[in-house]
Amino acid sequence: MTVQRCSVAALVVVLLSFSALSWAIGPRNVTDSGRPVKWSSQPVRVDLESDRDVRGKDVEALVNAALSEWDDVTEANISFDLRDLGVAVDHTNVCDVFFDPSACPGGPLTDGTNPIVIDEDGGIVSEFFDESSRYTVLGFASIMGSDPDTGAAIKGEAVFNAACLNGVEILPGCAAAGLSFTDDDFISFIVHEIGHFLGLDHSQVNLEEATDADSGNDDLITTMYPRFLVGNGANFKTPEKDDRAGLAQLYPASGFASSTWSITGVVFNASGSAELQCANLVARNVDDPKGDAISALSGDFDVPGTASGEFVILGLTPGETYAIDFEPIDPTATGASGYTPCRGSAGEPSPPQFASFTSTDTFTESAGAEVSVDCQAGDDCAPGSGGSGGGGGSSAGGCSLMR
Amino acid sequence: MKKIRRILLLPTLLLSTLAVFAGLPVHALTVLQLNLEQLTVLSEKVFVGRCAGVEADGDFKGHKVQKVTFEVIDMLKGEPSKTVTFRQLGTVNGGADFGMKEGVRIQGLERELPRYEVGEEAVVFLGAPGGAGLTAPVGLAQGKFAVISKGDFKTVLNGAGNRGLFIGAGKNSLLKTMSVQSGDLPYSDFVSLVKKLAAQ
């Protein structure tokens, strides 16, 4: 593998102006200049609607449990300021507290609240989608408004559908159709949606386990995997290593960078003629390839359709040895279930497809180091010329325009 | 790996694409992954049809609505009819759902609703309409299967790549008759299985 790099001052200026790094999991949204959309200060304010009673069941404890899953991630610095929204919300007044460009265009955008709403009967989902989705769309969340320059979040919103919550199902059809979900299931999709509320994108680490018919390995599915399996809530609710690294990417705890190491690099297409955006790279510990696995999506801090292959895999354990899986994004993961910037909708291209492989080389480093690795579709991943690490596959010297 | 001079290529491409794309943010939603039995049970109608029309049909509380008509080839569940017409919310409006308001970068809810093209053949698992007369395939993209012809052989594939259709097969012995994880399914076997599930 020979990738020639050279530093040209003028071009550095251009690149620093229009590009940025891409990190583990990646952000759900970035600004046009490549800044992640995220909350700029801690704790993050959330305003839970006043009606926490779902047909006799108090769900506030479930919401608290979900928030704690992210709060407990030691690699990240995230905390919540849970407040009372001061109003009970249903489909008749949701636009008094929500903003949405089409559903609630007159709703509040800069009022300082970040409402979390429990959709007791699926009525809000039915309003935002249609009646047929009342029991199958379990929730949605996002940072709805942000500063266009800094990416600082201004308005966040979340809806959680409790129509088929086990024991208090709104109609027998929930159970008859196998739609009833447990408290753990409910907590788990709150955790997932709050992940988006915090700015996280999806993760497909351990895709095979997520899509096979073996429920015995579902504990390996990441929390930010885009599809939900009823009955897997107890596993799904707890963030996996990839989820935790993704959160730490946006909100790193002090000492995160110095206590872990990272792999940085560039992905090229099969011909080597251009960088390749939206290749999924997963660093897997050779001794624990499913449990200790952290991903990055190439070019996910750049605008869609850019020939940008930059990636950084963060949060690797010092002294452990990792191989890199190089794989395409699941082609069926598009739209809201997709991966920015290749969701195949709303102006984004579909994820490129190519053959998967595992790197011939393995990589290991000490705390605080950065190893440079470049990858080419259809070929291999091998030590690159950048990075600050001194061993384990990195090479000293060279120059990188991007780092 | 072949040599590449990325310093020449990247800026050109970046600058050219920046003029076309803006970072388009998106809502995220959790949709239940449904197996084939659930899709069938939750549907009011299941049919094989050829799309005969897609047209704008006003709006519902600010949402664009489209009227979709299928000529029915085979009704798998529900009362037989020659055509099925339903009203569904429009798909993502990339122009209206993203942008700026009061100096804030805003974004909208992406609904993952299926899209339709006149002439296409599909198997549609259609939910019952609500009070406003709107409906959509059950499970959104999961409830519309494209019929793909490869010579004389036909296959079906839904918007989720057929993932999860047979998970939970232990609850229904019929699902065990097709045990694929994902990917194209033989049309004739699929239709036969749906008819059996609908008859249960």
Side-chain angles (χ1 to χ4, degrees), chain B:
Chain B
M1 183 177 286
K2 298 178 181 178
K3 290 183 178 180
I4 180 172
R5 290 186 67 88
R6 58 198 290 269
I7 57 170
L8 299 176
L9 186 63
L10 186 55
T12 303
L13 290 170
L14 275 173
L15 290 170
S16 61
T17 53
L18 272 171
V20 177
F21 292 102
L24 295 175
V26 64
H27 243 305
L29 69 153
T30 298
V31 182
L32 193 61
Q33 181 168 285
L34 300 168
N35 65 30
L36 193 56
E37 180 185 19
Q38 292 169 323
L39 284 173
T40 306
V41 169
L42 291 169
S43 298
E44 180 187 57
K45 298 175 182 176
V46 183
F47 58 89
V48 183
R50 187 174 303 282
C51 184
V54 183
E55 58 186 278
D57 192 25
D59 68 86
F60 172 68
K61 295 185 178 180
H63 303 292
K64 290 184 177 178
V65 174
Q66 56 187 339
K67 184 168 73 175
V68 183
T69 300
F70 272 84
E71 294 172 348
V72 177
I73 297 170
D74 193 357
M75 185 66 82
L76 310 182
K77 180 182 178 182
E79 292 297 316
S81 62
K82 291 185 178 179
T83 62
V84 171
T85 298
F86 58 95
R87 298 173 74 240
Q88 177 192 298
L89 290 174
T91 52
V92 175
N93 185 342
D97 283 348
F98 308 101
M100 296 289 292
K101 181 182 180 182
E102 300 166 5
V104 177
R105 189 169 182 252
I106 60 172
Q107 60 186 83
L109 174 61
E110 185 168 10
R111 295 178 177 79
E112 267 194 355
L113 288 159
R115 300 169 188 228
Y116 308 91
E117 290 184 14
V118 172
E120 71 168 324
E121 188 176 337
V123 184
V124 181
F125 291 70
L126 195 63
L134 298 174
T135 187
V138 171
L140 304 176
Q142 298 174 83
K144 182 196 169 197
F145 292 74
V147 177
I148 304 161
S149 295
K150 298 173 182 174
D152 293 334
F153 189 67
K154 287 184 174 180
T155 60
V156 295
L157 186 69
N158 72 4
N162 291 345
R163 294 199 187 285
L165 288 180
F166 304 101
I167 288 179
K171 296 177 181 177
N172 191 317
S173 59
L174 282 175
L175 291 184
K176 294 179 180 176
T177 61
M178 296 182 77
S179 57
V180 295
Q181 294 177 14
S182 63
D184 293 6
L185 293 168
Y187 170 86
S188 57
D189 293 347
F190 179 80
V191 167
S192 175
L193 179 55
V194 173
K195 285 181 176 177
K196 290 176 183 175
L197 289 168
Q200 282 188 331

Side-chain angles (χ1 to χ4, degrees), chain A residues 93-111 128 144 155 157, chain B residues 61-62 101-102 106:
Chain A
N93 66 346
V94 65
C95 289
D96 291 344
V97 297
F98 267 38
F99 171 81
D100 180 82
S102 60
C104 302
L109 181 60
T110 56
D111 63 337
F128 275 59
M144 298 297 297
K155 177 83 171 181
E157 300 170 349
Chain B
K61 295 185 178 180
K101 181 182 180 182
E102 300 166 5
I106 60 172

